Amino acid sequence: MSRICDGRAVIITGAGGGLGRAYALAFAAEGAGVVVNDINEAAAQDTVATIEASGGRAVVDRSDITSYDDSLNAVRTALDNFGSLHVVVNNAGICRDRMFASMTEEDWDAVIAVHLKGHFCITSHAVHYWRGQSKEGKAVDARIINTSSGAGLNGSIGQSNYAAAKAGIAALTINQAAELARYGITANALAPSARTGMTEEVFADMMEKPEDGGFDAFDPANIAPLVVWLGSTGSAGVTGRVFE
């Protein structure tokens, strides 16, 4: 039986845990080769081991997404291991929550670097690769999947740095969609609500697992099917959207 991502290769940042791990497992289950990017090597290796134990294909990558030069290695990892690259899922993130009056320059720079610059670096190298293929006359069917947030769309008290970065990512996605369609590249974004290392402390009560074993509304696995479909060939007509 064919799977919707057979033969495709994807880079997922922050794939050692939370949403990124859920995406990695789901992409692999649908046939994709997965580059598991994470600064936590042990967590990334665990994701890879889980994928391989299920018969999937995955490899660890520890490129620094805030470094333009180093992030090129994530693209090289995909090409070296899977022979191509079709999807970049920008998922990695951090929080440095403070009220604006108490926020330091370091708090601001760290969040902007990981979220906003982090969305630029790997994607820039991927786009250079895809544009090169297009100019050579090769068919390109590529996907950029970004991560915005309700904080970026509506604001969030105590998170001005995070909200600003996430709003920037939503705008970036719209621009990417408009500029890159000529090369066969789509760009979409998510504003997900899920239990992750970033949210479970801040929203612990709201995101607590149901004690009765009922539907877990904040399980990261609930978001993964949309992300995998957006990374598939079937989503070619969808671009410039933010899914909340």
Side-chain angles (χ1 to χ4, degrees):
M1 186 174 77
S2 64
R3 298 170 294 181
I4 65 172
C5 287
D6 273 337
R8 291 175 76 76
V10 53
I11 297 169
I12 305 174
T13 67
L19 283 165
R21 177 182 170 89
Y23 301 161
L25 299 181
F27 265 107
E30 287 296 337
V34 183
V35 176
V36 177
N37 170 272
D38 205 289
I39 59 173
N40 185 329
E41 184 172 7
Q45 288 179 337
D46 184 70
T47 299
V48 169
T50 301
I51 289 171
E52 291 179 337
S54 298
R57 299 173 300 141
V59 62
V60 170
D61 173 75
R62 295 189 65 242
S63 301
D64 180 357
I65 65 170
T66 70
S67 165
Y68 191 77
D69 290 340
D70 193 39
S71 64
L72 174 59
N73 290 315
V75 174
R76 288 174 173 162
T77 297
L79 299 180
D80 290 346
N81 286 272
F82 305 122
S84 190
L85 174 65
H86 305 89
V87 185
V88 173
V89 180
N90 290 302
N91 165 77
I94 62 170
C95 282
R96 296 290 186 270
D97 294 352
R98 291 180 188 271
M99 299 299 283
F100 185 80
S102 301
M103 186 165 292
T104 67
E105 182 181 16
E106 183 180 4
D107 295 330
W108 180 271
D109 286 348
V111 169
I112 296 299
V114 172
H115 289 276
L116 197 51
K117 186 179 180 182
H119 270 61
F120 168 73
C121 291
I122 287 177
T123 308
S124 174
H125 295 301
V127 166
H128 292 165
Y129 166 69
W130 293 326
R131 183 179 62 179
Q133 287 193 313
S134 178
K135 288 185 174 182
E136 291 174 6
K138 298 177 182 178
V140 176
D141 193 16
R143 307 284 181 267
I144 300 167
I145 304 173
N146 295 328
T147 305
S148 184
S149 169
L153 303 179
N154 303 300
S156 180
I157 299 297
Q159 292 189 308
S160 56
N161 50 1
Y162 180 78
K166 291 305 192 182
I169 288 165
L172 171 66
T173 302
I174 295 169
N175 260 53
Q176 288 173 328
E179 293 179 12
L180 302 176
R182 72 189 71 181
Y183 304 120
I185 305 167
T186 70
N188 293 285
L190 307 166
S193 293
R195 187 188 309 106
T196 70
M198 287 174 54
T199 62
E200 60 186 351
E201 291 185 8
V202 179
F203 305 108
D205 293 338
M206 182 180 75
M207 293 190 171
E208 189 175 0
K209 291 183 180 181
E211 295 181 358
D212 60 3
F215 178 68
D216 185 357
F218 295 102
D219 185 343
N222 298 334
I223 314 294
L226 171 60
V227 180
V228 173
W229 180 78
L230 286 173
S232 75
T233 58
S235 67
V238 179
T239 193
R241 305 297 182 91
V242 179
F243 295 87
E244 186 174 14

